[in-house]
Amino acid sequence: MMSVTLRSLGRLAIAAAISLCLGGAHAYAEDANPTTNVTIDNFTFAPAELTVKVGTTVTWTNHDDIPHTVVSAGKFRSKTLDTDNSFSFTFTAAGDYKYFCSLHPHMTGMIKVE
Amino acid sequence: MSDHDHHEDKPGVSRRKVLECMTWAGTGVLWTISGGVPRSLGLVDSALAAEPAGLTFLQISDSHVGFDKPANPNALGTLEEAINRVKAIPVKPSFMIHTGDISHLSKAAEFDDADRIISQAKLDVHYVPGEHDFLDEEVKFYKERYGKGAKGAGWYSFDANGVHFIGLVNVVDLKAGGLGNLGAEQLAWLEDDLKGKSTSTPIVVFAHIPLWTVYPQWGWGTEDGARALDYLKGFGSVTVLNGHIHQVMQKVEGNVTFHTARSTAFPQPAPGTAPSPGPMKVEDSKLRTLLGVASINFKPGDQRLAIIDTPLQG
């Protein structure tokens, strides 16, 4: 058991070293469908700014007792998200995607896609 | 035995309760004498019980029918309590205005439930929408139910007892980072609507989000509200009635009185006193002291309309 664990740790270390050598892009390319999350708490998107690679799926989840939306003009628009509802969008092109809640427009955020 | 224990544990409670009851009874008796109407029948206080002259109408707001979270698991129930209060007013008001967020999620069933309760007041109701009333997929329920004959997203005006009423919509087409929004089309309509009106005409403007800037950090204000107020500058008496912030706030600026009403569903925190403007959970026993309705009385000749806010309890 122990030796297996150690061996896999070793393999991981080597993989990590290779990734480091080849740069971050290689590490992302290995994961075909990266995903990441944005939470909505207290009328705030967190993190407010997020950098992801092309192909990443971002999922927003509303934890407030009040509905919110996630809207990026001309790019994407969620349905109304009631408490604990989620919305996902896959970013297939690089760029800065500013978005906001169309019900509470002081709530803003940005996804930077590289 | 248990009675005895109770007194031992909390010697002050029952005595305070008795005193509260006495105060209440005393007030009731007093008002019966001064107003001629028992308090239990009255919505508010002697001001209303003493048969007002002129025009009296009511404002209810933010009923959020469908809301069932901890801040108030039964928003329909508290709306019904508010309407029961309205039904018990000794002098029947001329009509009621509802300053938006009738429903919580714009579901047909929520609007149905709201109508079923509000119609029990047997009063004409003039609505303006809140942002929670435009959440259905096709954004059609509000317009179909309340917006017939209105312009744009639901703005309109009407006259009653020499007072000009203007219902505005500031919850659509909101811009990222901004506040409530009236938009160019509505502002042009407003300017036109006021054209030719005598400046002595009392004006009542009602809309969901406050037309003046209450607290921009929470979006409590209207981006182009100042432009609407510009058109109203020359008028001797302007009253602006809003909802959205679920608490009473009042401000007087020149001839303009700004006022926000309580919600019938749940309270929200005072500006900046909480991490967000979300529903405020209070002790069950306190909830009804923070919900309520407003009664507005206009006496011809008076510059300002008298606004009385009444909590559901206390």
Side-chain angles (χ1 to χ4, degrees):
Chain A
M1 265 311 258
M2 182 63 116
S3 67
V4 171
T5 311
L6 279 177
R7 212 181 304 145
S8 25
L9 274 177
R11 226 181 279 144
L12 266 178
I14 291 163
I18 291 171
S19 301
L20 278 174
C21 286
L22 299 179
H26 178 73
Y28 278 101
E30 272 187 346
D31 189 350
N33 299 302
T35 60
T36 187
N37 298 306
V38 174
T39 58
I40 305 172
D41 272 301
N42 282 321
F43 289 59
T44 307
F45 294 110
E49 203 177 306
L50 185 65
T51 303
V52 300
K53 296 291 165 192
V54 170
T56 304
T57 299
V58 178
T59 299
W60 286 262
T61 304
N62 176 23
H63 296 306
D64 274 343
D65 281 352
I66 287 290
H68 296 296
T69 64
V70 183
V71 177
S72 183
K75 301 287 176 20
F76 55 84
R77 170 179 278 273
S78 76
K79 289 183 184 175
T80 302
L81 305 178
D82 196 7
T83 308
D84 295 330
N85 285 357
S86 292
F87 165 72
S88 296
F89 184 79
T90 303
F91 292 88
T92 54
D96 288 351
Y97 296 76
K98 289 183 176 176
Y99 66 89
F100 75 120
C101 167
S102 62
L103 304 177
H104 312 100
H106 66 286
M107 296 170 57
T108 57
M110 173 146 76
I111 308 291
K112 280 172 155 319
V113 183
E114 299 176 340
Chain B
M1 159 81 182
S2 64
D3 227 39
H4 175 75
D5 285 349
H6 178 77
H7 284 288
E8 284 293 294
D9 289 339
K10 298 172 182 170
V13 169
S14 19
R15 197 168 139 253
R16 201 178 305 133
K17 273 235 144 53
V18 169
L19 285 175
E20 271 174 20
C21 284
M22 282 176 67
T23 313
W24 186 88
T27 312
V29 171
L30 185 68
W31 282 352
T32 303
I33 295 162
S34 73
V37 181
R39 187 188 192 277
S40 59
L41 286 181
L43 172 71
V44 248
D45 63 10
S46 48
L48 205 93
E51 296 191 22
L55 170 73
T56 296
F57 64 97
L58 302 176
Q59 178 188 8
I60 61 169
S61 199
D62 296 85
S63 25
H64 284 263
V65 168
F67 183 86
D68 58 1
K69 302 298 189 294
N72 180 1
N74 186 10
L76 188 63
T78 47
L79 172 63
E80 187 157 28
E81 287 176 38
I83 295 300
N84 285 338
R85 288 257 165 168
V86 169
K87 281 156 68 180
I89 298 174
V91 181
K92 192 176 152 78
S94 295
F95 56 84
M96 188 149 72
I97 63 171
H98 190 303
T99 40
D101 284 357
I102 306 156
S103 75
H104 191 59
L105 293 168
S106 305
K107 293 179 180 167
E110 294 174 348
F111 287 124
D112 285 346
D113 284 343
D115 291 348
R116 181 168 52 79
I117 301 299
I118 293 171
S119 64
Q120 289 170 19
K122 296 195 165 57
L123 292 171
D124 283 340
V125 187
H126 302 278
Y127 290 89
V128 284
E131 73 278 8
H132 286 255
D133 300 318
F134 284 139
L135 299 180
D136 50 315
E137 201 82 340
E138 294 177 58
V139 199
K140 62 175 191 182
F141 289 153
Y142 179 84
K143 194 85 201 265
E144 279 175 5
R145 286 162 185 257
Y146 311 100
K148 288 202 174 108
K151 308 273 191 307
W155 58 81
Y156 58 97
S157 66
F158 65 95
D159 293 282
N161 285 45
V163 180
H164 189 60
F165 288 82
I166 303 168
L168 298 179
V169 180
N170 56 0
V171 297
V172 295
D173 200 18
L174 306 184
K175 307 288 185 296
L179 306 169
N181 174 54
L182 294 163
E185 190 189 349
Q186 187 169 204
L187 284 166
W189 170 85
L190 175 65
E191 187 178 20
D192 190 55
D193 182 71
L194 291 168
K195 221 169 251 167
K197 289 256 171 325
S198 155
T199 53
S200 64
T201 309
I203 308 281
V204 174
V205 179
F206 57 110
H208 180 64
I209 299 175
L211 276 188
W212 88 101
T213 304
V214 175
Y215 195 62
Q217 294 90 325
W218 284 356
W220 289 359
T222 300
E223 206 73 50
D224 47 5
R227 290 194 51 202
L229 296 169
D230 255 1
Y231 299 143
L232 296 160
K233 253 185 188 152
F235 290 87
S237 163
V238 178
T239 306
V240 178
L241 303 174
N242 300 122
H244 187 60
I245 67 171
H246 297 215
Q247 61 197 287
V248 173
M249 265 194 207
Q250 194 152 344
K251 187 177 90 142
V252 178
E253 218 178 84
N255 294 330
V256 185
T257 301
F258 298 90
H259 179 270
T260 61
R262 288 190 180 94
S263 161
T264 65
F266 55 83
Q268 283 175 217
T273 62
S276 82
M280 186 167 69
K281 170 74 183 138
V282 297
E283 280 175 45
D284 290 352
S285 62
K286 253 195 94 181
L287 177 63
R288 282 162 180 77
T289 68
L290 298 169
L291 309 178
V293 302
S295 142
I296 301 102
N297 176 239
F298 167 70
K299 274 186 199 152
D302 276 6
Q303 192 84 328
R304 290 207 175 105
L305 280 65
I307 304 170
I308 302 163
D309 294 287
T310 309
L312 291 184
Q313 176 195 310

